[in-house]
Amino acid sequence: MHQRRSGKTTTFNAATPDSDAQRDRARIIHSSAFRRLQAKTQVLGVGESDFYRTRLTHSMEVAQIGSGICEKLKQKYAENDSISTHIPSYFQIEAICLAHDIGHPPFGHGGEVALNYHMHSSGGFEGNGQTLRIISKLGEYSDHDGLDLTRRTLLGVLKYPVLHSEVSTRSLSDEDHLSAFKPPKSIHDDEQDVLDWILEPLTPKDKATFRSTKTKEGKTKAQYKAFDTSIMELADDISYGVHDLEDSLALNLVTEKQWREDVLAVLDDNSVIMQKERFYTEALFSGQSRARKHAISKLVGHFVEAIEVTEQNLFESPWLDLQAQLPEHIEHTLQVLKDFVFKHVIRSSSVQVLEYKGQMMIMKLFQVLSENPEQLLPGSTLQKYKNAENPKRVICDYISGMTDNYATKLYSKLFSPDTGSVFDKI
């Protein structure tokens, strides 16, 4: 049974056939948006070193971890049909994981904030929302349905089933600092039709509950995610907390003193790191890639094997009600690692300077392209701009699809007096 938008069906299969899931994975891998991830920032700016991860290698590792999680869950719940029959196949989870970051713009979250600043009153911009837009509308497989993926893959990629206008509280003010436009976790208002199609097979009660929001500390957020999404997010978190830690160690961005102060001093005694503290500390800070990789692999395996499936008892649909999660004490260990990377790498002045510089380039590019579309937009993009109900979205799509290098070259060509020629190929 077809489950693609072009098929016009309105049901979920108990398990998407491997042939359909494999086709989804193939379409994602061969898409131009996926290939561009090799030249988009993960943590450090592209070009700083040949070793560390880009968005592409990060996505590949998330897919591998995601399939590893599903393998362990199938073993763990082999005798429990109510769970085992709904665990995604390896093809299915890999398709979801490989797609999860293809909407991220150049220069990481700096570019994301800049685009949301310009789009805040025109449907918003958020990296995960752009992912859904690419796979459902912009991808090159079909004219109207993007990559035309199955409903289950789209549901798995849908991290935040709410529209920008439903959770955004911002209104533009001259006094607002750019950082105030960090995008709310949502999809763009332009993808209302896609959201409706994804959720069409659900009961009215499940739809309403799944799309409900909560407000905490003045921020309105989505409350729920699908079962497949919970697996993908765990794989993403493990990659972020462990593999990005590996990059920071290999490039000497963190010290053993910082590790002892911000990790060992915070962890509980029952943490696997504390139980084998000497092994992990010596291996991670040995300066030897083999020892470091061994410790990193052990950590990944520990998190993957600990994942459990719980029932929320909130939804009729098992694809929404089931959730993958870590036991609380193990989740705490992963969170400590994520906090460590965030504090000493992502929030470091060197990374923040690169992010800010990229953010300023995206701000200026959006402004000048909006003011001079006839002169500056490529022919195919200009045609879309002229025919669009929301012309700013076309400019946003154009910029968000750029690699870091392409955006830098275009900026230099437009604003550097000694750069640019009619013969340049950006």
Side-chain angles (χ1 to χ4, degrees), residues 311-368:
E311 296 177 279
Q312 301 179 90
N313 296 316
L314 294 172
F315 298 96
E316 296 176 40
S317 170
W319 294 281
L320 303 184
D321 200 61
L322 297 174
Q323 293 286 286
Q325 63 182 33
L326 283 167
E328 188 174 346
H329 72 284
I330 298 179
E331 182 182 20
H332 178 255
T333 297
L334 180 57
Q335 187 62 51
V336 169
L337 294 179
K338 289 167 59 181
D339 291 344
F340 182 68
V341 172
F342 183 80
K343 176 180 179 180
H344 293 291
V345 182
I346 294 175
R347 297 303 298 176
S348 67
S349 60
S350 58
V351 171
Q352 288 298 298
V353 165
L354 290 174
E355 183 174 298
Y356 181 78
K357 182 169 69 173
Q359 188 176 72
M360 292 300 100
M361 284 193 281
I362 298 300
M363 287 288 290
K364 191 67 174 177
L365 284 175
F366 200 112
Q367 178 186 345
V368 73

CSV table of all heavy atoms in Angstrom, one decimal, residues 311-368:
chain,number,residue,atom,x,y,z
A,311,GLU,N,5.4,3.0,27.5
A,311,GLU,CA,4.1,3.4,27.0
A,311,GLU,C,3.6,4.6,27.8
A,311,GLU,O,3.6,4.6,29.0
A,311,GLU,CB,3.1,2.2,27.1
A,311,GLU,CG,3.5,1.0,26.3
A,311,GLU,CD,2.6,-0.1,26.4
A,311,GLU,OE1,2.8,-0.9,27.4
A,311,GLU,OE2,1.7,-0.3,25.6
A,312,GLN,N,3.1,5.7,27.1
A,312,GLN,CA,2.7,6.9,27.7
A,312,GLN,C,1.2,6.7,28.2
A,312,GLN,O,0.7,7.4,29.1
A,312,GLN,CB,2.8,8.1,26.8
A,312,GLN,CG,4.2,8.4,26.4
A,312,GLN,CD,4.2,9.6,25.4
A,312,GLN,OE1,4.4,10.7,25.9
A,312,GLN,NE2,4.1,9.3,24.1
A,313,ASN,N,0.5,5.8,27.5
A,313,ASN,CA,-1.0,5.7,27.8
A,313,ASN,C,-1.7,7.0,27.6
A,313,ASN,O,-2.7,7.3,28.3
A,313,ASN,CB,-1.2,5.1,29.2
A,313,ASN,CG,-0.6,3.8,29.4
A,313,ASN,OD1,-0.8,2.9,28.5
A,313,ASN,ND2,0.1,3.6,30.5
A,314,LEU,N,-1.3,7.7,26.5
A,314,LEU,CA,-2.0,8.9,26.1
A,314,LEU,C,-2.6,8.9,24.8
A,314,LEU,O,-3.5,9.7,24.5
A,314,LEU,CB,-1.0,10.1,26.2
A,314,LEU,CG,-0.4,10.5,27.5
A,314,LEU,CD1,0.8,11.5,27.3
A,314,LEU,CD2,-1.4,11.1,28.4
A,315,PHE,N,-2.1,8.0,23.9
A,315,PHE,CA,-2.6,8.0,22.5
A,315,PHE,C,-3.1,6.6,22.1
A,315,PHE,O,-2.7,5.6,22.7
A,315,PHE,CB,-1.4,8.3,21.6
A,315,PHE,CG,-0.8,9.7,21.8
A,315,PHE,CD1,0.3,9.8,22.6
A,315,PHE,CD2,-1.3,10.8,21.2
A,315,PHE,CE1,0.9,11.1,22.8
A,315,PHE,CE2,-0.8,12.0,21.3
A,315,PHE,CZ,0.3,12.2,22.1
A,316,GLU,N,-4.1,6.6,21.2
A,316,GLU,CA,-4.6,5.3,20.7
A,316,GLU,C,-3.5,4.7,19.7
A,316,GLU,O,-3.4,3.5,19.6
A,316,GLU,CB,-5.9,5.6,19.9
A,316,GLU,CG,-7.0,6.0,20.8
A,316,GLU,CD,-8.3,6.3,20.0
A,316,GLU,OE1,-8.6,5.6,19.1
A,316,GLU,OE2,-8.9,7.3,20.3
A,317,SER,N,-2.8,5.6,19.0
A,317,SER,CA,-1.8,5.1,18.0
A,317,SER,C,-0.5,4.7,18.7
A,317,SER,O,0.1,5.6,19.4
A,317,SER,CB,-1.5,6.2,17.0
A,317,SER,OG,-0.4,5.9,16.2
A,318,PRO,N,-0.1,3.5,18.5
A,318,PRO,CA,1.2,3.1,19.1
A,318,PRO,C,2.4,3.9,18.6
A,318,PRO,O,3.4,4.0,19.2
A,318,PRO,CB,1.3,1.6,18.8
A,318,PRO,CG,0.5,1.4,17.6
A,318,PRO,CD,-0.7,2.4,17.7
A,319,TRP,N,2.3,4.4,17.3
A,319,TRP,CA,3.4,5.2,16.8
A,319,TRP,C,3.6,6.5,17.5
A,319,TRP,O,4.6,7.1,17.3
A,319,TRP,CB,3.1,5.4,15.3
A,319,TRP,CG,3.2,4.2,14.5
A,319,TRP,CD1,4.3,3.5,14.1
A,319,TRP,CD2,2.0,3.4,14.1
A,319,TRP,NE1,3.9,2.3,13.4
A,319,TRP,CE2,2.5,2.2,13.4
A,319,TRP,CE3,0.7,3.5,14.2
A,319,TRP,CZ2,1.7,1.3,12.9
A,319,TRP,CZ3,-0.2,2.6,13.6
A,319,TRP,CH2,0.3,1.5,13.0
A,320,LEU,N,2.6,6.9,18.3
A,320,LEU,CA,2.7,8.1,19.1
A,320,LEU,C,2.9,7.7,20.6
A,320,LEU,O,3.6,8.4,21.3
A,320,LEU,CB,1.5,9.0,19.0
A,320,LEU,CG,1.1,9.5,17.6
A,320,LEU,CD1,-0.1,10.4,17.7
A,320,LEU,CD2,2.3,10.2,16.9
A,321,ASP,N,2.2,6.7,21.0
A,321,ASP,CA,2.2,6.4,22.4
A,321,ASP,C,3.5,5.8,22.9
A,321,ASP,O,4.0,6.1,24.0
A,321,ASP,CB,1.1,5.4,22.8
A,321,ASP,CG,0.7,5.5,24.2
A,321,ASP,OD1,0.4,6.6,24.7
A,321,ASP,OD2,0.9,4.5,24.9
A,322,LEU,N,4.2,5.0,22.1
A,322,LEU,CA,5.5,4.4,22.5
A,322,LEU,C,6.6,5.4,22.5
A,322,LEU,O,6.6,6.3,21.6
A,322,LEU,CB,5.8,3.2,21.6
A,322,LEU,CG,4.9,2.0,21.6
A,322,LEU,CD1,5.3,1.0,20.6
A,322,LEU,CD2,4.9,1.4,23.0
A,323,GLN,N,7.5,5.4,23.4
A,323,GLN,CA,8.6,6.3,23.5
A,323,GLN,C,9.9,5.6,23.9
A,323,GLN,O,9.9,4.8,24.8
A,323,GLN,CB,8.3,7.4,24.4
A,323,GLN,CG,7.2,8.4,24.0
A,323,GLN,CD,7.6,9.3,22.9
A,323,GLN,OE1,8.4,10.3,23.1
A,323,GLN,NE2,7.0,9.0,21.7
A,324,ALA,N,11.0,5.9,23.2
A,324,ALA,CA,12.3,5.4,23.6
A,324,ALA,C,12.9,6.4,24.5
A,324,ALA,O,12.9,7.6,24.3
A,324,ALA,CB,13.1,5.1,22.4
A,325,GLN,N,13.5,5.9,25.6
A,325,GLN,CA,14.2,6.8,26.6
A,325,GLN,C,15.2,6.0,27.3
A,325,GLN,O,15.3,4.8,27.4
A,325,GLN,CB,13.1,7.4,27.5
A,325,GLN,CG,12.4,6.3,28.4
A,325,GLN,CD,11.4,7.0,29.3
A,325,GLN,OE1,10.7,7.9,28.9
A,325,GLN,NE2,11.2,6.4,30.5
A,326,LEU,N,16.1,6.8,27.9
A,326,LEU,CA,17.2,6.3,28.8
A,326,LEU,C,16.7,6.3,30.2
A,326,LEU,O,15.9,7.2,30.6
A,326,LEU,CB,18.4,7.2,28.7
A,326,LEU,CG,19.3,7.0,27.5
A,326,LEU,CD1,20.3,8.2,27.4
A,326,LEU,CD2,20.0,5.7,27.5
A,327,PRO,N,17.1,5.4,31.1
A,327,PRO,CA,16.9,5.5,32.5
A,327,PRO,C,17.4,6.8,33.0
A,327,PRO,O,18.4,7.3,32.5
A,327,PRO,CB,17.6,4.3,33.1
A,327,PRO,CG,17.7,3.3,31.9
A,327,PRO,CD,17.8,4.1,30.7
A,328,GLU,N,16.8,7.3,34.1
A,328,GLU,CA,17.1,8.7,34.5
A,328,GLU,C,18.6,8.9,34.9
A,328,GLU,O,19.2,9.9,34.5
A,328,GLU,CB,16.3,9.0,35.8
A,328,GLU,CG,16.4,10.4,36.2
A,328,GLU,CD,15.4,10.7,37.3
A,328,GLU,OE1,14.5,9.9,37.6
A,328,GLU,OE2,15.6,11.8,38.0
A,329,HIS,N,19.2,7.9,35.6
A,329,HIS,CA,20.6,8.1,36.0
A,329,HIS,C,21.6,8.0,34.8
A,329,HIS,O,22.6,8.7,34.8
A,329,HIS,CB,21.0,7.1,37.0
A,329,HIS,CG,21.2,5.7,36.5
A,329,HIS,ND1,20.1,4.9,36.2
A,329,HIS,CD2,22.3,4.9,36.2
A,329,HIS,CE1,20.5,3.7,35.8
A,329,HIS,NE2,21.8,3.7,35.8
A,330,ILE,N,21.2,7.3,33.7
A,330,ILE,CA,22.1,7.2,32.5
A,330,ILE,C,21.8,8.5,31.7
A,330,ILE,O,22.8,9.0,31.1
A,330,ILE,CB,21.8,5.9,31.8
A,330,ILE,CG1,22.2,4.7,32.6
A,330,ILE,CG2,22.6,5.9,30.5
A,330,ILE,CD1,21.9,3.4,32.0
A,331,GLU,N,20.6,8.9,31.6
A,331,GLU,CA,20.3,10.2,30.9
A,331,GLU,C,21.1,11.3,31.5
A,331,GLU,O,21.6,12.2,30.8
A,331,GLU,CB,18.8,10.5,31.0
A,331,GLU,CG,18.4,11.7,30.2
A,331,GLU,CD,16.9,12.0,30.3
A,331,GLU,OE1,16.3,11.5,31.2
A,331,GLU,OE2,16.4,12.8,29.4
A,332,HIS,N,21.3,11.3,32.9
A,332,HIS,CA,22.0,12.4,33.5
A,332,HIS,C,23.5,12.4,33.1
A,332,HIS,O,24.1,13.4,32.8
A,332,HIS,CB,21.9,12.2,35.0
A,332,HIS,CG,22.7,13.2,35.8
A,332,HIS,ND1,23.9,12.9,36.4
A,332,HIS,CD2,22.5,14.5,36.1
A,332,HIS,CE1,24.4,13.9,37.0
A,332,HIS,NE2,23.6,14.9,36.8
A,333,THR,N,24.1,11.2,32.9
A,333,THR,CA,25.4,11.1,32.4
A,333,THR,C,25.6,11.7,31.0
A,333,THR,O,26.5,12.5,30.8
A,333,THR,CB,25.9,9.6,32.4
A,333,THR,OG1,25.9,9.1,33.7
A,333,THR,CG2,27.3,9.5,31.8
A,334,LEU,N,24.6,11.4,30.1
A,334,LEU,CA,24.7,11.9,28.8
A,334,LEU,C,24.5,13.4,28.8
A,334,LEU,O,25.2,14.2,28.1
A,334,LEU,CB,23.6,11.3,27.9
A,334,LEU,CG,23.5,11.7,26.5
A,334,LEU,CD1,24.8,11.6,25.8
A,334,LEU,CD2,22.4,11.0,25.7
A,335,GLN,N,23.6,13.9,29.7
A,335,GLN,CA,23.4,15.4,29.7
A,335,GLN,C,24.6,16.1,30.2
A,335,GLN,O,24.9,17.2,29.8
A,335,GLN,CB,22.2,15.7,30.7
A,335,GLN,CG,21.8,17.1,30.7
A,335,GLN,CD,21.3,17.6,29.3
A,335,GLN,OE1,20.5,17.0,28.7
A,335,GLN,NE2,21.9,18.7,28.9
A,336,VAL,N,25.3,15.5,31.2
A,336,VAL,CA,26.6,16.1,31.7
A,336,VAL,C,27.6,16.2,30.5
A,336,VAL,O,28.3,17.3,30.4
A,336,VAL,CB,27.1,15.3,32.8
A,336,VAL,CG1,28.6,15.8,33.2
A,336,VAL,CG2,26.2,15.4,34.1
A,337,LEU,N,27.7,15.2,29.7
A,337,LEU,CA,28.6,15.3,28.6
A,337,LEU,C,28.2,16.3,27.6
A,337,LEU,O,29.0,17.1,27.0
A,337,LEU,CB,28.7,13.9,27.9
A,337,LEU,CG,29.3,12.8,28.7
A,337,LEU,CD1,29.3,11.5,27.9
A,337,LEU,CD2,30.7,13.1,29.1
A,338,LYS,N,26.9,16.4,27.3
A,338,LYS,CA,26.4,17.4,26.4
A,338,LYS,C,26.6,18.8,26.9
A,338,LYS,O,27.0,19.8,26.2
A,338,LYS,CB,24.9,17.3,26.1
A,338,LYS,CG,24.5,16.0,25.3
A,338,LYS,CD,23.0,15.7,25.3
A,338,LYS,CE,22.2,16.8,24.8
A,338,LYS,NZ,20.8,16.5,24.9
A,339,ASP,N,26.4,19.0,28.2
A,339,ASP,CA,26.7,20.3,28.8
A,339,ASP,C,28.2,20.7,28.8
A,339,ASP,O,28.5,21.9,28.6
A,339,ASP,CB,26.2,20.3,30.3
A,339,ASP,CG,24.7,20.2,30.5
A,339,ASP,OD1,24.0,20.5,29.5
A,339,ASP,OD2,24.3,19.9,31.6
A,340,PHE,N,29.0,19.7,28.9
A,340,PHE,CA,30.5,19.9,28.8
A,340,PHE,C,30.9,20.4,27.5
A,340,PHE,O,31.6,21.4,27.3
A,340,PHE,CB,31.2,18.6,29.2
A,340,PHE,CG,32.7,18.7,29.2
A,340,PHE,CD1,33.3,19.4,30.2
A,340,PHE,CD2,33.5,18.0,28.3
A,340,PHE,CE1,34.7,19.5,30.2
A,340,PHE,CE2,34.8,18.1,28.3
A,340,PHE,CZ,35.5,18.9,29.3
A,341,VAL,N,30.4,19.7,26.4
A,341,VAL,CA,30.7,20.2,25.0
A,341,VAL,C,30.1,21.6,24.8
A,341,VAL,O,30.8,22.4,24.2
A,341,VAL,CB,30.1,19.2,24.0
A,341,VAL,CG1,30.2,19.7,22.6
A,341,VAL,CG2,30.8,17.8,24.2
A,342,PHE,N,28.9,21.8,25.3
A,342,PHE,CA,28.3,23.1,25.0
A,342,PHE,C,29.1,24.2,25.7
A,342,PHE,O,29.4,25.3,25.1
A,342,PHE,CB,26.9,23.1,25.6
A,342,PHE,CG,26.1,24.4,25.3
A,342,PHE,CD1,25.5,24.6,24.1
A,342,PHE,CD2,26.0,25.4,26.3
A,342,PHE,CE1,24.9,25.8,23.9
A,342,PHE,CE2,25.3,26.5,26.1
A,342,PHE,CZ,24.7,26.8,24.9
A,343,LYS,N,29.5,24.0,26.9
A,343,LYS,CA,30.2,25.0,27.7
A,343,LYS,C,31.6,25.3,27.1
A,343,LYS,O,32.0,26.5,26.9
A,343,LYS,CB,30.4,24.6,29.2
A,343,LYS,CG,31.2,25.6,30.0
A,343,LYS,CD,31.3,25.1,31.5
A,343,LYS,CE,32.1,26.1,32.3
A,343,LYS,NZ,32.2,25.6,33.7
A,344,HIS,N,32.4,24.3,26.8
A,344,HIS,CA,33.8,24.5,26.5
A,344,HIS,C,34.1,24.5,25.0
A,344,HIS,O,35.2,24.9,24.6
A,344,HIS,CB,34.6,23.4,27.1
A,344,HIS,CG,34.7,23.5,28.6
A,344,HIS,ND1,35.3,24.5,29.3
A,344,HIS,CD2,34.1,22.7,29.6
A,344,HIS,CE1,35.2,24.4,30.6
A,344,HIS,NE2,34.4,23.3,30.8
A,345,VAL,N,33.1,24.1,24.2
A,345,VAL,CA,33.3,24.1,22.7
A,345,VAL,C,32.4,25.1,22.0
A,345,VAL,O,32.8,26.1,21.5
A,345,VAL,CB,33.2,22.7,22.1
A,345,VAL,CG1,33.5,22.8,20.6
A,345,VAL,CG2,34.2,21.8,22.8
A,346,ILE,N,31.1,24.8,22.1
A,346,ILE,CA,30.1,25.6,21.4
A,346,ILE,C,30.1,27.0,21.9
A,346,ILE,O,30.0,28.0,21.1
A,346,ILE,CB,28.7,24.9,21.5
A,346,ILE,CG1,28.7,23.6,20.7
A,346,ILE,CG2,27.6,25.9,20.9
A,346,ILE,CD1,27.5,22.8,20.9
A,347,ARG,N,30.2,27.2,23.2
A,347,ARG,CA,30.1,28.6,23.8
A,347,ARG,C,31.5,29.2,23.9
A,347,ARG,O,31.6,30.3,24.4
A,347,ARG,CB,29.5,28.6,25.2
A,347,ARG,CG,28.0,28.1,25.2
A,347,ARG,CD,27.2,29.0,24.3
A,347,ARG,NE,27.1,30.4,24.7
A,347,ARG,CZ,26.5,31.3,24.0
A,347,ARG,NH1,25.9,31.0,22.9
A,347,ARG,NH2,26.5,32.6,24.4
A,348,SER,N,32.5,28.6,23.4
A,348,SER,CA,33.9,29.1,23.4
A,348,SER,C,34.0,30.3,22.5
A,348,SER,O,33.2,30.4,21.5
A,348,SER,CB,34.9,28.1,23.0
A,348,SER,OG,34.8,27.8,21.6
A,349,SER,N,34.8,31.3,22.8
A,349,SER,CA,34.9,32.5,22.1
A,349,SER,C,35.3,32.3,20.6
A,349,SER,O,34.8,32.9,19.7
A,349,SER,CB,35.9,33.5,22.7
A,349,SER,OG,37.2,32.9,22.8
A,350,SER,N,36.1,31.3,20.4
A,350,SER,CA,36.6,31.0,19.0
A,350,SER,C,35.4,30.5,18.1
A,350,SER,O,35.3,31.0,17.0
A,350,SER,CB,37.7,30.0,19.0
A,350,SER,OG,37.3,28.8,19.6
A,351,VAL,N,34.6,29.6,18.7
A,351,VAL,CA,33.4,29.2,17.9
A,351,VAL,C,32.4,30.2,17.8
A,351,VAL,O,31.8,30.4,16.7
A,351,VAL,CB,32.8,27.9,18.6
A,351,VAL,CG1,31.5,27.5,17.9
A,351,VAL,CG2,33.8,26.7,18.5
A,352,GLN,N,32.2,31.0,18.9
A,352,GLN,CA,31.2,32.1,18.8
A,352,GLN,C,31.5,33.2,17.8
A,352,GLN,O,30.6,33.7,17.2
A,352,GLN,CB,31.0,32.7,20.2
A,352,GLN,CG,30.3,31.7,21.2
A,352,GLN,CD,28.9,31.4,20.8
A,352,GLN,OE1,28.0,32.3,20.6
A,352,GLN,NE2,28.6,30.1,20.5
A,353,VAL,N,32.8,33.5,17.7
A,353,VAL,CA,33.2,34.5,16.7
A,353,VAL,C,32.9,34.0,15.3
A,353,VAL,O,32.3,34.8,14.5
A,353,VAL,CB,34.7,34.7,16.8
A,353,VAL,CG1,35.2,35.5,15.6
A,353,VAL,CG2,35.0,35.6,18.1
A,354,LEU,N,33.1,32.7,15.0
A,354,LEU,CA,32.8,32.2,13.7
A,354,LEU,C,31.3,32.2,13.4
A,354,LEU,O,30.8,32.5,12.3
A,354,LEU,CB,33.4,30.8,13.5
A,354,LEU,CG,34.9,30.6,13.4
A,354,LEU,CD1,35.3,29.1,13.5
A,354,LEU,CD2,35.4,31.3,12.2
A,355,GLU,N,30.5,31.8,14.5
A,355,GLU,CA,29.1,31.8,14.3
A,355,GLU,C,28.5,33.2,14.1
A,355,GLU,O,27.6,33.4,13.3
A,355,GLU,CB,28.5,31.1,15.6
A,355,GLU,CG,26.9,31.0,15.5
A,355,GLU,CD,26.4,30.3,16.7
A,355,GLU,OE1,26.7,29.1,16.8
A,355,GLU,OE2,25.6,30.9,17.4
A,356,TYR,N,29.1,34.1,14.9
A,356,TYR,CA,28.6,35.5,14.7
A,356,TYR,C,28.9,36.1,13.3
A,356,TYR,O,28.1,36.8,12.7
A,356,TYR,CB,29.2,36.4,15.8
A,356,TYR,CG,28.8,37.8,15.7
A,356,TYR,CD1,27.5,38.2,16.2
A,356,TYR,CD2,29.6,38.8,15.2
A,356,TYR,CE1,27.1,39.5,16.2
A,356,TYR,CE2,29.2,40.1,15.1
A,356,TYR,CZ,27.9,40.5,15.6
A,356,TYR,OH,27.5,41.8,15.5
A,357,LYS,N,30.1,35.8,12.9
A,357,LYS,CA,30.5,36.3,11.5
A,357,LYS,C,29.6,35.7,10.5
A,357,LYS,O,29.1,36.4,9.6
A,357,LYS,CB,32.0,35.9,11.2
A,357,LYS,CG,32.5,36.4,9.9
A,357,LYS,CD,34.0,36.2,9.7
A,357,LYS,CE,34.4,34.8,9.6
A,357,LYS,NZ,35.8,34.6,9.3
A,358,GLY,N,29.3,34.4,10.6
A,358,GLY,CA,28.4,33.8,9.6
A,358,GLY,C,27.0,34.4,9.7
A,358,GLY,O,26.3,34.6,8.7
A,359,GLN,N,26.6,34.6,10.9
A,359,GLN,CA,25.2,35.2,11.2
A,359,GLN,C,25.1,36.6,10.5
A,359,GLN,O,24.1,36.9,9.8
A,359,GLN,CB,25.0,35.3,12.7
A,359,GLN,CG,23.6,35.7,13.1
A,359,GLN,CD,23.5,35.7,14.6
A,359,GLN,OE1,24.0,36.6,15.3
A,359,GLN,NE2,22.8,34.8,15.1
A,360,MET,N,26.1,37.4,10.6
A,360,MET,CA,26.1,38.7,10.0
A,360,MET,C,26.1,38.6,8.5
A,360,MET,O,25.4,39.4,7.8
A,360,MET,CB,27.3,39.5,10.4
A,360,MET,CG,27.3,39.9,11.9
A,360,MET,SD,25.9,41.0,12.4
A,360,MET,CE,24.8,39.7,13.1
A,361,MET,N,26.8,37.6,7.9
A,361,MET,CA,26.8,37.5,6.5
A,361,MET,C,25.4,37.1,6.0
A,361,MET,O,24.9,37.6,5.0
A,361,MET,CB,27.8,36.4,6.0
A,361,MET,CG,29.2,36.9,6.0
A,361,MET,SD,30.4,35.8,5.2
A,361,MET,CE,30.6,34.5,6.4
A,362,ILE,N,24.7,36.2,6.7
A,362,ILE,CA,23.4,35.8,6.3
A,362,ILE,C,22.4,36.9,6.4
A,362,ILE,O,21.5,37.1,5.6
A,362,ILE,CB,22.9,34.6,7.2
A,362,ILE,CG1,23.8,33.4,6.9
A,362,ILE,CG2,21.4,34.2,6.8
A,362,ILE,CD1,23.8,32.9,5.5
A,363,MET,N,22.5,37.7,7.5
A,363,MET,CA,21.7,38.9,7.7
A,363,MET,C,21.8,39.8,6.5
A,363,MET,O,20.8,40.3,5.9
A,363,MET,CB,22.1,39.7,8.9
A,363,MET,CG,21.7,39.0,10.2
A,363,MET,SD,19.9,39.1,10.5
A,363,MET,CE,19.7,40.9,10.9
A,364,LYS,N,23.0,40.1,6.0
A,364,LYS,CA,23.2,41.1,5.0
A,364,LYS,C,22.8,40.5,3.6
A,364,LYS,O,22.2,41.2,2.8
A,364,LYS,CB,24.7,41.4,4.9
A,364,LYS,CG,25.1,42.6,4.0
A,364,LYS,CD,24.5,43.9,4.5
A,364,LYS,CE,25.0,45.1,3.7
A,364,LYS,NZ,24.4,46.3,4.1
A,365,LEU,N,23.1,39.2,3.4
A,365,LEU,CA,22.7,38.5,2.1
A,365,LEU,C,21.1,38.6,2.0
A,365,LEU,O,20.6,38.9,0.9
A,365,LEU,CB,23.1,37.1,2.1
A,365,LEU,CG,24.6,36.9,1.8
A,365,LEU,CD1,25.0,35.4,1.9
A,365,LEU,CD2,25.0,37.4,0.4
A,366,PHE,N,20.4,38.3,3.0
A,366,PHE,CA,19.0,38.3,3.0
A,366,PHE,C,18.5,39.7,2.6
A,366,PHE,O,17.6,39.9,1.8
A,366,PHE,CB,18.3,37.8,4.3
A,366,PHE,CG,16.9,37.3,4.1
A,366,PHE,CD1,16.6,36.0,4.3
A,366,PHE,CD2,15.9,38.2,3.8
A,366,PHE,CE1,15.3,35.5,4.2
A,366,PHE,CE2,14.6,37.7,3.7
A,366,PHE,CZ,14.3,36.4,3.9
A,367,GLN,N,19.0,40.7,3.3
A,367,GLN,CA,18.6,42.1,3.1
A,367,GLN,C,18.8,42.5,1.6
A,367,GLN,O,17.9,43.0,1.0
A,367,GLN,CB,19.4,43.0,4.0
A,367,GLN,CG,19.0,44.5,3.8
A,367,GLN,CD,19.9,45.4,4.7
A,367,GLN,OE1,20.6,44.9,5.6
A,367,GLN,NE2,19.9,46.7,4.3
A,368,VAL,N,20.0,42.3,1.1
A,368,VAL,CA,20.3,42.8,-0.2
A,368,VAL,C,19.6,42.0,-1.3
A,368,VAL,O,19.2,42.5,-2.3
A,368,VAL,CB,21.9,42.7,-0.5
A,368,VAL,CG1,22.4,41.3,-0.7
A,368,VAL,CG2,22.2,43.6,-1.7
